[in-house]
Each structure stands twice: as C-alpha cells, then as structure tokens.
Amino acid sequence: AARMLLRLLSDVRWRAANPKWRRMTCSRQSTSNTAEPHPVSLPAQAQVVICGGGIMGTSVAYHLSKMGWKDIVLLEQGRLAAGTTRFCAGIVSTARHASIELKMADYSNKLYQQLEQETGVKTGYMKTGSVSLAQTQDRLISLKRIASSLNVMGIPCEIITPKQVAQLHPLINIHDLVGAMYVPEDALVSSANVSLALATAASRNGVQIHERTSVSHVSVQKGRVTGVETDRGQIQCQYFVNCAGQWAYELGHSGEEPVNIPLHACEHFYLLTHPLKEPLASNLPTIVDPDGRIYIRNWQGGILSGGFEKNPKPLFTEGRNQLEIQNLQEDWDHFEPLLSALLRRMPDLETLQIMQLVNCPESFTPDMRCIMGESPTVRGYFVLAGMNSAGISYGGGAGKYLAEWMVNGYPSENVWPLDLKRFGTLQSSRTFLRHRVMEVMPLMCDLKVPRWDFQTGRQLRTSPLYDRLDAQGARWMEKHGFERVKYFVPPGKDLLDLDQSKTFYKPDWFDIVGSEVKCCKEAVCVIDMSSFTKFEISSTGDQALESLQYLFSNDLDVPVGHVVHTGMLNEKGGYENDCSIARLSKRSFFMISPTDQQVHCWAWLKNRLPEDSNLTMEDVTWKYTALNLIGPRAVNVLSELSYAPITPEHFPSLFCKEMSVGYANGIRVMSITHTGEPGFMLYIPIEYALHVYNEVMNMGQKYGIRNAGYYALRSLRIEKFFAFWGQDLDAFTTPMECGREFQVKLEKGMQFVGQEALLEQKQNGVYKRFTMFILEDHDTDTDLWPWWGEPIFRNGRYVGKTTSSAYSYTLERHVCLGFVQHFDEQTGEELVVTTDFINQGEYEINIAGQRFQAKAKLYPFSSLFAHRRRKDEVELSGYQRE
C-alpha cells in the first residue's frame, strides 16, 4: 500500500508539473468563456429579481413559478450553473442530523427523480444508495441516531455489518469497520443539469432568465427593496433574492442598507480518475467514510473522491471575485492525507489512472447550517446561500421553503435553525469568518457528540463578570456569540480530562452539575444570565401598551411592578418569541427574551410597531448584567443586602421592584427564576455588576452560596416541565399545544395577533400535545443518554420526537420533553390529541435504535419535589398533578 501511494503521488505530481498536462486541463475549463451578446433587453420592472443562476437561484425561480408568481427575473453574472454548482460532486444524501435538513434533502431527492420527465432535460439522476462507514463504536452510535430519525420519516435505512458493506461494494476494505448505515434511496445527479432542468421549467412558467448580467447594487427606500442596479440597467422590483453563493457576502454589503450574510469560501478538493480496467458498475453505492474524512462515488466507470481535510484553506477573504469559477490551482501535497485515506479504503485500485484534481471554492457558514430567510433590516430582501458543501442535497427543499416564505409569509416547516436572523452583525467580521470556517470544514466529518462547542470566535461577547467567574473554574459555552457558563469545576478536579470528555453516555460533569442542582434546591446559587435579550419599550401616551396588547397574547394592562409571561405569536398562533415583560411604569415596559432572539425579535417588533415618534424601542441587552439568584435562601441574601422586606407579602411572585443592593442603586429585581424554583432575577446596570456580585457572594457565604451554570438550570427547568423557545417552542407551536392556555387572555378586550387561530384550537382541539416523559428502565450509568430529537413511540407506533431532555437529580431519572401526535392507523390522517389519548398509552423513547419504556405526563411530578426518595422506592403512577 505504501509503495502504491508513492507511485500514485509521483504520477500526479508529474501531471501537476507538466505544462502540456496543465494546458489540456485549462483548455477544457476555458471552452465556455467565450463572450456572447445579450439577445434580450432587461425589463424595466418585475415583482421578483433573483441573483444567481446556480442550483439555489434556479430552485427558487422554479418553486415561485410553480406557486403562481410569474413576474420573475433571474440574473446570472456568467452562465447558468457555471459557479460552484458546476463543480458539485452530485451526491444527494438524506443522512442528516438536523430534522429540517433531512426534510430538505428528502424533498430534493424526490424532486430530482421526476425532474427529467417533467422538463425533458437529462439530469443524470441515478438511485445508487449510500453507505456511511463507522470505524469506531461512537461513530456507529451517531449513525444509529440518524437512522432512527430517517426510519420514522419514512426513508428506508438500516444499520449493516462490515460483511454487508463488502457485498454492496466489493472494492471497499472492511477490516477496520465496526458497522455502517445503508440508505438505499440516496442518489447521484449531474448538478449543472439539475440547475438547467429547473431553469427550463421556470422559463416555461414565465420566468425571464438573463445570463452575463451582474447585479451591482440593491436599491432600498424606507427599509424596503425597490429595485436593483445591473451592468445593463435598472430593474424596479418588490423582492430581491440573493442566491449569489460565495459572493452573497459581498453582494449583501453592496446595497444602500448592508445585509449581513455570514459565509466564507474554502478550497474544496476532489479527485477524478479514468475508468478502471473493469469499470465500476454505475449502481454501486456512494461511500461516505467520515472517520477517514472522504467520500467516494462512481464517476463514468472510475471514481470521484474528495473530502474535508483537517487543515482547510480559506480563500477570497479580501473579497476577490471571479465571474465563473475557474479550476483553482492543484495542490497535491494538501490533498495527500485524503488520497492516503482513499487508498486505505480501496486498496485494490492498483490500476488507478488519475484524470484531474479538482479544486473549487465552497461556501461555509459559522454553524455549518445554510442561510435562508428575509433580512432583518431590509423588507423584501431574501437570502438563500451558504450550503456547506451540501447544495445539491438541499437545493430542491431549500428553494421550496424560501418560495413558500415569500408567497405565504412563512414556510411550511420550522426553519428557525436556518434563518438568517439567527446571526447578528458580530458574525460578519471577515476575520471571524475566516477563522471559523477553518474550524467548520473539518467538523463536517468530526463526530458530533452532545454539547460540543465551537473553539474559534470565542470571548467575543462577555459579561463583566467573565474573568471573575473564569478564575473560579467556570467552563464556557457560546450562544449567539455570548459566553455562558456550563458548570464550575471544583478545585482539584482534572480539568484536562473534563474538557476532553465527549461521549454519548454519562458525562464526566454529572456529579458537578448534581451538586449545583442540590445547592439550588437546598441553599442558594448564582447563575450569570446576562446573555438574555433585553428591550425597553416606552411611549409618551398609551401607544406602548396598545401596541404590545396587540402583539402579545397575555394581558399586559397590569399594575405597575407586575411581570407577565407571554408569547409573541404569529397569525397561526405559533410562538415567534416567548418572553417575560415587566411593567416599569404606566408607559414603559421591560422585555426579557431568549439570547438568540436579539435579531429576530427586534425585526419582528420593528416591522409591526406603528411608526410613531412618540413610541420608542431600545435594545438594552448590553446595559444590564443579569444574575439569577436561585434557592430557598435567596430571600435571606437579598433582604440582608437591600434592607427591604422580601417576604411573599411584600414581594409576591412575578413582581418587579427597583431596589438598592449593597451600595448600588437602580437594580431591577424580579421574583422569577425561569426554573420553577424560588428566587430572584437581578438586572444590574453593568457598572455595578462586579460590586453586586461580590456583595451577593460575600453575604451568601453563611447560607452556603455557590456559583452554578446553565446545565444545572436545564435540569431544574426540565424536571419542572418548563418549555424553552428555540428548543421546545417554535413558530409552529401554540400555547394551546404546550399547556400554556393560562398565558393567553382570549377575552382581554382587544384583538391580538394569533387570536383567531387559538380560538379555533380551543373549539376544535389540538393535533399535538407537549408531554413529559420519565424513562423507567434506563440505567444512567451504562445506557446511552437521551439528548433531543429521539423518536417517541406509543403502543409501538411513532407519534413524535423529543425536543429536550435532562437528568433529573430530584427524580433520579431521565426526563424527556416532546410533542405527541395522533395519526389514524389506516389513513395516516392527523387526529385531535386528547388528554385520554396521552394518559392511556404505553410509551417508549428510541435512543440510537434502542427503545426504553417511559411514563407520560401532562403535568410535572410535584410530589417528589417535597421529599426525595430512592428511585427503586418510587411508584411513578402515584404522582399527583401540580
């Protein structure tokens, strides 16, 4: 094998160095670059202008035209499908971790399958299947988790043995494998031809397509798109769609109002060979070897093999622009580790003759998920870009969801994990993006264990207490660029082992978090929650109250000093935001939302609040440090520091009061903890943060105070059945479906957004119910842990998925939260989910293919919170509802 590798490398280096070989390669690439005249002039106006003629732009045009929009112009600066799409490996794979990505890929596969028949354009579609290999048990667990999701989605999939791998692909070396995942309906296509087929269908439906037309500028007036400037003139339009691929970032910054689209290009390499002496069968499955960092597919009787190296090469950081992407410089030294992995996996390739090493730019995003949706700053400006080397897999589904978004105002699935508004301006620094994509590209193949964190772009947004907490053993995670504490490592613990422990089983931090939870239950803990999004909304008259009453489902016309939990709903009654609002005065409100709501919530409110100079909204996230004082002794600590009565009579639940704490004035104290435990949230002007923290810690010593992190908070809130937005709640979840009817005032004297949908649900019932599950036959020490996304089975039938889970140190069991649906056994039709349906079922949770019995409840287990018992003494059926 070593001799063969040396022979191959000497062969390919000769080809790279030989001028004649380089001229042959370049001539193939340059044949398409001859200039062509513009046969048709641009229209003066259109409803939609799409920029980019690759798989994304043509898919959006295709789906918009299918939905009835005809006045559409698609502009491509070069030729159709001549960008990254032309160099795409053409692998359509549904094996995805995220549910929304899995659905996009499944739709794409089905679309491409019938596209040739619809359009008459050959797409090269061939259903070959794919085999994902596992060299380690952890990798096999990861594949089993994906397989369990695929199976309940109706996508055929099975976990197979190494011997079965050899039967499916005889050239694969199986000696180091422990198993694999086989997805028989995955496919291969010609990516460029798929784009041309989509463009052909769109053109027949009335879409105008203009090649060799560059967009230089997007015109904006009063926060809305009004037109585009091109090198061939101006087009007035209502909607603009940025599908410019690796150039989407630059295009976003070229308008009057910058639109931040955080993506960055890296070089991506793959190898093409001549046909083997015995050409490979065209129906051989695609091989994905994530532990070897490579993929291998049949290509014209030979192979196409590329991968995601550990040391990627970012490019175009300075914004260099190429019209049509030429094949970048070959770099055999850089490709050598991937070539070695290929030869280890297919050692019989002794007759391998290399045709070409392809090097093309591929766009990656800061979190490895694509970017879609409407800009938070410019209405009518939509984006679809940053596919992280999965453009052909996502192209059909992503185009469909964006088209639905534009036509209907919302897509048919929850696309929040992909929404442009999940990012803020901080992720658009070119330095940040360059460093982050160098981490992201290797992560495409790295094992995804629960609770892993990015290492680049860290310490960007920090609390004033960061250094103080870090010195006390804080271990950090990042949310929306903000550093948040996971847990605190006690003195004497082996920090290296703890930081490097990555497992699907019981984690090393188990006992640490357990001690933090115990302290929250029995004494008092402090959690820094400064990352919360915080807005102040005020007016000179009643404008603030009237506007918020319309935009929120609960009644905000409460006495000054009261705090209201409420949803910010859409027209379907779904949660666009879940927040707490304190009434500071008759005309002023303080709104607290989840960390990742900062951009989304601001845009939602800004677009719906009336344009009134007497009504103001200010983002004060950075002005306040937030400390969560949790535990029965919190009242003692706070009363001694403030010299004010903090008893329930003077300070009832859901109350807000401005107080002095220590020497500091103007501390907003609220009697909530977001966990169901007693305590207070302290919103402290940042200049007082360190003083107040020190005072709280010093005063709390006699009450056993300690620091705690978000892992403890998660355990506390899940065992109390508290749903969190972004994990359990989303734009497709209503208060009626998750037991939050009490946070809705249907008869508050005025209409509010989502009211009609909620009234309909109240009358007709709901089709899914938020449910709490206690795992019964699960061994915390030896069994795989649930995290989220596990399928739920009722009486042996699939009924939903978990949305979050945690170990309850009080119940000494795992608790999962998730939604249960009711499908007719014959027709599959959705039926109303009743309380009896939930209570009368026998439930199982599927964790990586293994099912565990679970007890379902619609209310938290209150009786256990008064007095703990050993789990072997617990009789779950005897619990009372809270």
Side-chain angles (χ1 to χ4, degrees):
R3 285 197 302 273
M4 181 167 50
L5 174 60
L6 289 172
R7 179 180 61 77
L8 285 168
L9 287 175
S10 63
D11 176 43
V12 296
R13 281 172 180 149
W14 174 85
R15 292 168 185 263
N18 189 291
K20 182 180 178 181
W21 169 261
R22 286 208 307 273
R23 283 197 300 273
M24 286 169 58
T25 305
C26 292
S27 67
R28 280 201 301 271
Q29 298 300 322
S30 60
T31 53
S32 63
N33 284 337
T34 55
E36 297 174 5
H38 299 295
V40 183
S41 60
L42 294 182
Q45 60 184 39
Q47 184 182 12
V48 182
V49 172
I50 301 169
C51 177
I55 184 68
M56 293 303 146
T58 55
S59 179
V60 173
Y62 171 87
H63 286 95
L64 282 174
S65 65
K66 283 276 188 180
M67 296 181 73
W69 283 21
K70 307 297 185 186
D71 189 12
I72 301 167
V73 175
L74 187 151
L75 305 178
E76 163 56 45
Q77 64 177 347
R79 294 179 313 114
L80 286 178
T84 301
T85 299
R86 178 163 60 116
F87 290 98
C88 180
I91 300 169
V92 183
S93 169
T94 53
R96 307 288 166 182
H97 286 277
S99 175
I100 185 62
E101 293 175 340
L102 190 159
K103 290 176 182 177
M104 287 197 303
D106 184 44
Y107 174 84
S108 297
N109 196 349
K110 291 180 171 67
L111 173 67
Y112 303 156
Q113 191 169 356
Q114 56 85 37
L115 200 56
E116 187 171 320
Q117 183 178 355
E118 178 186 345
T119 64
V121 178
K122 290 189 178 299
T123 60
Y125 183 91
M126 178 165 291
K127 191 176 289 185
T128 61
S130 71
V131 179
S132 298
L133 310 179
Q135 295 182 30
T136 66
Q137 287 297 332
D138 273 350
R139 178 69 68 181
L140 190 59
I141 290 167
S142 179
L143 294 178
K144 286 178 177 179
R145 288 181 65 90
I146 295 173
S148 65
S149 293
L150 288 172
N151 282 322
V152 297
M153 290 280 296
I155 301 171
C157 174
E158 60 179 313
I159 298 298
I160 60 176
T161 64
K163 284 186 178 179
Q164 289 173 297
V165 173
Q167 290 167 2
L168 288 166
H169 202 307
L171 293 180
I172 294 299
N173 172 21
I174 63 170
H175 81 278
D176 59 345
L177 301 182
V178 297
M181 178 178 71
Y182 177 46
V183 185
E185 294 193 354
D186 280 355
L188 297 177
V189 294
S190 164
S191 305
N193 287 358
V194 167
S195 291
L196 294 174
L198 292 168
T200 299
S203 182
R204 288 174 185 167
N205 284 333
V207 175
Q208 296 185 53
I209 298 174
H210 296 268
E211 297 181 308
R212 306 199 181 281
T213 306
S214 297
V215 175
S216 57
H217 181 76
V218 179
S219 303
V220 177
Q221 287 183 11
K222 295 183 178 179
R224 281 205 71 98
V225 168
T226 58
V228 296
E229 293 276 358
T230 78
D231 57 354
R232 297 174 55 203
Q234 186 181 43
I235 306 175
Q236 292 182 341
C237 62
Q238 298 168 256
Y239 298 93
F240 176 74
V241 189
N242 184 339
C243 296
Q246 62 167 325
W247 303 303
Y249 178 96
E250 282 80 14
L251 182 58
H253 281 261
S254 68
E256 296 164 5
E257 283 276 344
V259 174
N260 292 306
I261 304 168
L263 53 79
H264 196 293
C266 280
E267 296 181 31
H268 180 57
F269 296 87
Y270 61 78
L271 186 73
L272 297 173
T273 77
H274 289 285
L276 305 184
K277 283 185 178 178
E278 290 187 19
L280 289 178
S282 60
N283 62 349
L284 276 179
T286 297
I287 299 296
V288 181
D289 184 1
D291 296 310
R293 301 187 165 276
I294 57 170
Y295 54 83
I296 309 164
R297 58 154 286 192
N298 171 67
W299 188 74
Q300 298 180 4
I303 64 165
L304 180 159
S305 179
F308 300 95
E309 61 274 23
K310 290 184 178 181
N311 57 332
K313 298 169 68 176
L315 75 167
F316 304 152
T317 304
E318 297 81 17
R320 174 185 165 196
N321 198 325
Q322 298 185 103
L323 216 71
E324 292 175 21
I325 303 170
Q326 299 305 306
N327 196 24
L328 299 168
Q329 188 174 355
E330 295 176 335
D331 189 338
W332 287 102
D333 289 334
H334 190 77
F335 190 72
E336 188 170 337
L338 301 181
L339 181 59
S340 300
L342 168 64
L343 293 173
R344 282 194 300 271
R345 189 54 58 209
M346 297 180 74
D348 292 338
L349 296 179
E350 294 182 3
T351 56
L352 180 72
Q353 291 186 22
I354 294 169
M355 178 182 291
Q356 186 182 355
L357 180 64
V358 176
N359 176 6
C360 62
E362 186 69 62
S363 297
F364 295 87
T365 64
D367 61 359
M368 292 190 292
R369 290 183 176 159
C370 73
I371 296 171
M372 71 162 62
E374 189 174 18
S375 161
T377 54
V378 180
R379 301 294 304 274
Y381 191 121
F382 285 83
V383 177
L384 186 57
M387 292 296 133
N388 299 283
S389 201
I392 195 64
S393 291
Y394 296 156
K400 171 179 180 279
Y401 291 144
L402 193 77
E404 291 172 344
W405 203 330
M406 295 174 68
V407 174
N408 302 327
Y410 49 85
S412 56
E413 295 284 348
N414 172 36
V415 297
W416 169 249
L418 316 176
D419 194 330
L420 172 63
K421 292 184 283 293
R422 73 188 188 271
F423 295 118
T425 54
L426 57 95
Q427 282 98 352
S428 286
S429 151
R430 291 304 277 176
T431 304
F432 166 82
L433 288 170
R434 181 180 176 87
H435 292 172
R436 175 57 66 86
V437 297
M438 290 176 73
E439 179 183 10
V440 159
M441 194 168 166
L443 280 170
M444 302 295 292
C445 290
D446 285 354
L447 194 64
K448 309 295 190 308
V449 296
R451 310 275 192 270
W452 59 271
D453 300 294
F454 289 107
Q455 301 303 308
T456 52
R458 298 296 298 271
Q459 298 181 28
L460 190 57
R461 302 175 72 195
T462 61
S463 157
L465 305 178
Y466 179 87
D467 289 338
R468 187 91 165 77
L469 300 178
D470 196 57
Q472 296 178 75
R475 288 296 169 264
W476 302 92
M477 59 182 178
E478 171 254 333
K479 183 85 164 181
H480 201 61
F482 215 114
E483 296 294 328
R484 312 200 304 185
V485 180
K486 295 188 281 190
Y487 49 79
F488 286 82
V489 179
K493 269 280 185 182
D494 189 335
L495 305 190
L496 190 63
D497 282 353
L498 202 57
D499 282 346
Q500 291 183 348
S501 64
K502 296 180 178 180
T503 178
F504 291 103
Y505 292 90
K506 180 180 178 180
D508 286 355
W509 45 256
F510 179 81
D511 292 331
I512 293 174
V513 174
S515 62
E516 292 179 4
V517 169
K518 186 173 188 289
C519 187
C520 288
K521 296 270 186 188
E522 299 176 0
V524 57
C525 277
V526 178
I527 303 179
D528 185 346
M529 299 179 70
S530 301
S531 65
F532 270 168
T533 296
K534 301 174 275 287
F535 296 162
E536 285 182 3
I537 302 160
S538 57
S539 60
T540 55
D542 293 332
Q543 299 95 327
L545 176 63
E546 290 171 0
S547 300
L548 296 181
Q549 285 283 66
Y550 173 68
L551 293 173
F552 292 87
S553 59
N554 211 336
D555 189 358
L556 297 176
D557 193 5
V558 294
V560 172
H562 284 249
V563 181
V564 177
H565 284 312
T566 182
M568 183 176 79
L569 309 181
N570 53 39
E571 286 74 11
K572 305 186 303 298
Y575 279 97
E576 292 294 333
N577 186 13
D578 178 46
C579 56
S580 302
I581 298 180
R583 191 169 193 179
L584 302 179
S585 70
K586 285 279 188 184
R587 296 165 181 168
S588 179
F589 297 84
F590 185 52
M591 176 179 169
I592 302 105
S593 305
T595 302
D596 49 6
Q597 274 279 1
Q598 190 166 14
V599 176
H600 172 70
C601 183
W602 179 269
W604 181 272
L605 290 173
K606 202 73 176 171
N607 291 334
R608 286 161 179 80
L609 287 172
E611 292 187 19
D612 187 338
S613 59
N614 296 315
L615 177 66
T616 60
M617 179 172 68
E618 183 184 2
D619 186 344
V620 294
T621 300
W622 63 275
K623 286 187 175 182
Y624 292 94
T625 296
L627 293 182
N628 196 348
L629 208 58
I630 303 179
R633 292 295 194 172
V635 63
N636 303 89
V637 175
L638 195 58
S639 61
E640 290 198 41
L641 282 173
S642 63
Y643 290 99
I646 311 290
T647 58
E649 296 78 35
H650 295 91
F651 211 124
S653 179
L654 294 176
F655 198 70
C656 174
K657 188 184 292 185
E658 201 163 278
M659 303 171 60
S660 298
V661 177
Y663 298 152
N665 290 317
I667 313 299
R668 292 175 182 171
V669 180
M670 299 184 193
S671 48
I672 53 174
T673 64
H674 306 284
T675 61
E677 299 296 331
F680 303 90
M681 284 293 304
L682 279 59
Y683 289 92
I684 309 158
I686 56 168
E687 62 267 32
Y688 300 145
L690 198 55
H691 168 75
V692 172
Y693 172 78
N694 289 336
E695 290 291 299
V696 166
M697 293 303 287
N698 290 335
M699 183 60 71
Q701 290 302 316
K702 60 184 176 184
Y703 298 110
I705 199 168
R706 64 175 291 170
N707 293 298
Y710 272 80
Y711 284 10
L713 185 88
R714 183 185 186 87
S715 175
L716 290 167
R717 72 95 176 168
I718 287 178
E719 71 179 17
K720 286 291 182 74
F721 205 7
F722 275 37
F724 269 26
W725 191 90
Q727 297 171 43
D728 311 300
L729 309 179
D730 58 41
F732 288 80
T733 307
T734 75
M736 304 300 183
E737 294 165 347
C738 60
R740 291 188 169 197
E741 298 93 333
F742 64 95
Q743 293 186 8
V744 176
K745 294 295 183 287
L746 291 169
E747 310 298 335
K748 64 178 179 179
M750 67 174 295
Q751 283 192 324
F752 61 87
V753 178
Q755 186 177 27
E756 288 183 16
L758 298 186
L759 284 168
E760 185 178 328
Q761 282 193 334
K762 185 178 182 181
Q763 182 176 344
N764 300 331
V766 296
Y767 291 92
K768 62 180 180 180
R769 285 288 291 273
F770 194 50
T771 309
M772 181 181 194
F773 298 94
I774 309 295
L775 296 191
E776 292 189 306
D777 59 344
H778 183 271
D779 189 315
T780 303
D781 294 323
T782 59
D783 286 328
L784 289 168
W785 274 32
W787 297 100
W788 56 82
E790 291 85 13
I792 303 165
F793 291 85
R794 179 188 181 274
N795 298 345
R797 293 178 61 83
Y798 171 70
V799 291
K801 283 188 175 183
T802 64
T803 51
S804 58
S805 64
Y807 182 80
S808 166
Y809 295 88
T810 310
L811 301 175
E812 296 184 339
R813 303 277 180 99
H814 258 100
V815 178
C816 299
L817 308 182
F819 286 92
V820 171
Q821 295 169 278
H822 185 186
F823 301 102
D824 185 279
E825 293 191 17
Q826 273 72 45
T827 65
E829 178 190 359
E830 272 193 313
L831 303 175
V832 170
V833 179
T834 63
T835 302
D836 284 345
F837 179 80
I838 299 289
N839 291 336
Q840 292 171 7
E842 297 290 329
Y843 291 89
E844 295 172 303
I845 307 293
N846 182 329
I847 306 175
Q850 185 176 356
R851 296 190 188 184
F852 295 91
Q853 292 180 0
K855 182 71 71 175
K857 290 287 179 181
L858 290 169
Y859 304 94
F861 296 82
S862 59
S863 65
L864 271 189
F865 297 111
H867 46 279
R868 290 182 59 187
R869 299 184 227 163
R870 299 296 301 165
K871 59 185 174 185
D872 52 345
E873 297 171 357
V874 169
E875 184 57 45
L876 290 174
S877 59
Y879 296 162
Q880 301 298 309
R881 51 178 281 187
E882 189 172 65

